[in-house]
Amino acid sequence: MPELPEVETVRRDLSRRLLGKKIKNLKVFSDKTVASAAAVFYRTLKGQSFVDFDRRGKLLIITLSPANLFLLIHLKMTGQLIYRSSTELLAGGHSLGESDVVNLPNKHTRVAFYFNDGSQLFFNDMRKFGYVKLANREELDRIIAAGYGPEPLTKSFTIDSLTDKLRTKKVNIKAALLNQKNVAGLGNIYVDEVLFAAGIRPQRLANSLRAKELALMYQVINDILKKAISYKGTTFRDFVDTKGQKGNFSKHLQVYGRAGQPCAICRRPITKIKLTGRGTHYCERCQR
DNA sequence: AAGATTGTTGCTTA
DNA sequence: TTAAGCAACAATCT
């Protein structure tokens, strides 16, 4: 599941490989994936260049020039952005590591971009939850204001901002951290990891956390996200970077996907329950 | 073969 | 008016 570290990994990859490239052509395979009519999408994007790559929570924001528009990309659960340079294409894909993304476009390709220098970018999404849509500055600002709280690893995210958001909330802390308006970018995997590292039970009500717990939780949110980015994210099922490579943080997960396996601290088996409709992993002994 | 998988939206309920 | 809860979506795997 692409969460903040995975989307940041993709953002950095794209920025390194696609900066300044001009769209020569594109193809929409799934109308549902692009919010506007495919014809409008095509007309608007053709001839535009990618001049900046930004991210807000799990939302990827590409600045288009000269249109002064933005391409918003959300990977949701199974979205992937796979890049092919012209030299890789000439090599027939044999130099590429992961196998099932060698032949592109494939049946999961929803949008393909073809650039002036011969390179290509594919938006693949098995489950069609993700989207690629156009927005102007006003629409982008509205989307961010309505849905995204403080951004971890930036100045907007502080102990005070986190405390402010959580102190009145009568939902469990897991649901509160999943809510993008309280803190942007955490999903099911990192919320479980954060709560384990902070020693807090996912069932605890958000408004019951003490100042000390909030401070520790704030610290581990930053630490875990930073570390996960340095490992190019977590691949649990589908996530790959723009070269089709899996993320390496998976081996560092302490609780997510480890039900029944021994806790790294006390060796008791990790518990798995359903909370707010989501699979939730924690240690009965180490998390209070 | 039913149930689990999850990010987000939008509807319903309190 | 606001917050909380939850179904719905999509396609695949176990």
Side-chain angles (χ1 to χ4, degrees), chain A residues 171-242:
Chain A
V171 285
N172 60 63
I173 186 62
K174 164 127 190 184
L177 291 181
L178 283 173
N179 186 337
Q180 304 297 296
K181 292 173 191 168
N182 294 329
V183 45
L186 298 177
N188 210 35
I189 296 174
Y190 293 104
V191 166
D192 281 6
E193 294 299 312
V194 161
L195 291 174
F196 174 77
I200 297 168
R201 278 197 192 220
Q203 302 93 326
R204 291 272 303 282
L205 293 188
N207 66 5
S208 78
L209 298 194
R210 295 156 16 122
K212 208 172 167 180
E213 293 175 312
L214 286 163
L216 177 57
M217 199 169 71
Y218 170 80
Q219 190 59 49
V220 303
I221 288 172
N222 286 311
D223 292 347
I224 289 175
L225 292 178
K226 238 184 260 181
K227 188 172 173 194
I229 291 169
S230 78
Y231 282 93
K232 292 175 153 277
T234 300
T235 295
F236 196 72
R237 299 186 65 132
D238 304 292
F239 173 72
V240 290
D241 69 12
T242 63

Side-chain angles (χ1 to χ4, degrees), chain A residues 240-267:
Chain A
V240 290
D241 69 12
T242 63
K243 275 187 160 170
Q245 307 282 327
K246 295 176 192 282
N248 300 307
F249 192 68
S250 321
K251 348 182 190 346
H252 300 273
L253 296 176
Q254 305 289 298
V255 288
Y256 186 86
R258 301 191 70 247
Q261 296 177 47
C263 166
I265 298 170
C266 74
R267 316 311 295 174

Side-chain angles (χ1 to χ4, degrees), chain A residues 85-229:
Chain A
S85 70
S86 40
T87 49
E88 282 168 335
L89 289 161
L90 285 170
H94 294 306
S95 61
L96 299 157
E98 311 290 334
S99 55
D100 58 341
V101 288
V102 168
N103 297 310
L104 290 167
N106 63 27
K107 67 173 175 176
H108 298 310
T109 302
R110 310 305 175 196
V111 184
F113 297 94
Y114 304 93
F115 300 97
N116 266 4
D117 67 348
S119 60
Q120 307 175 350
L121 181 71
F122 299 92
F123 179 72
N124 277 21
D125 185 19
M126 183 177 71
R127 288 167 71 174
K128 292 188 176 178
F129 268 29
Y131 60 78
V132 179
K133 75 172 185 183
L134 285 160
N136 60 29
R137 168 60 75 180
E138 198 179 25
E139 292 164 333
L140 173 59
D141 288 346
R142 185 152 31 86
I143 288 167
I144 290 173
Y148 294 83
E151 179 71 31
L153 310 179
T154 73
K155 279 184 235 164
S156 75
F157 184 58
T158 61
I159 295 180
D160 284 349
S161 72
L162 188 64
T163 303
D164 265 10
K165 295 287 188 185
L166 299 183
R167 78 172 160 220
T168 59
K169 301 295 193 296
K170 295 174 198 158
V171 285
N172 60 63
I173 186 62
K174 164 127 190 184
L177 291 181
L178 283 173
N179 186 337
Q180 304 297 296
K181 292 173 191 168
N182 294 329
V183 45
L186 298 177
N188 210 35
I189 296 174
Y190 293 104
V191 166
D192 281 6
E193 294 299 312
V194 161
L195 291 174
F196 174 77
I200 297 168
R201 278 197 192 220
Q203 302 93 326
R204 291 272 303 282
L205 293 188
N207 66 5
S208 78
L209 298 194
R210 295 156 16 122
K212 208 172 167 180
E213 293 175 312
L214 286 163
L216 177 57
M217 199 169 71
Y218 170 80
Q219 190 59 49
V220 303
I221 288 172
N222 286 311
D223 292 347
I224 289 175
L225 292 178
K226 238 184 260 181
K227 188 172 173 194
I229 291 169

Side-chain angles (χ1 to χ4, degrees), chain A residues 27-55:
Chain A
K27 186 161 171 137
V28 175
F29 297 88
S30 159
D31 283 7
K32 180 184 181 300
T33 301
V34 304
S36 53
V40 175
F41 194 78
Y42 178 88
R43 268 205 310 277
T44 309
L45 277 163
K46 201 169 168 182
Q48 295 298 313
S49 294
F50 290 173
V51 296
D52 196 24
F53 298 85
D54 208 348
R55 178 188 56 72

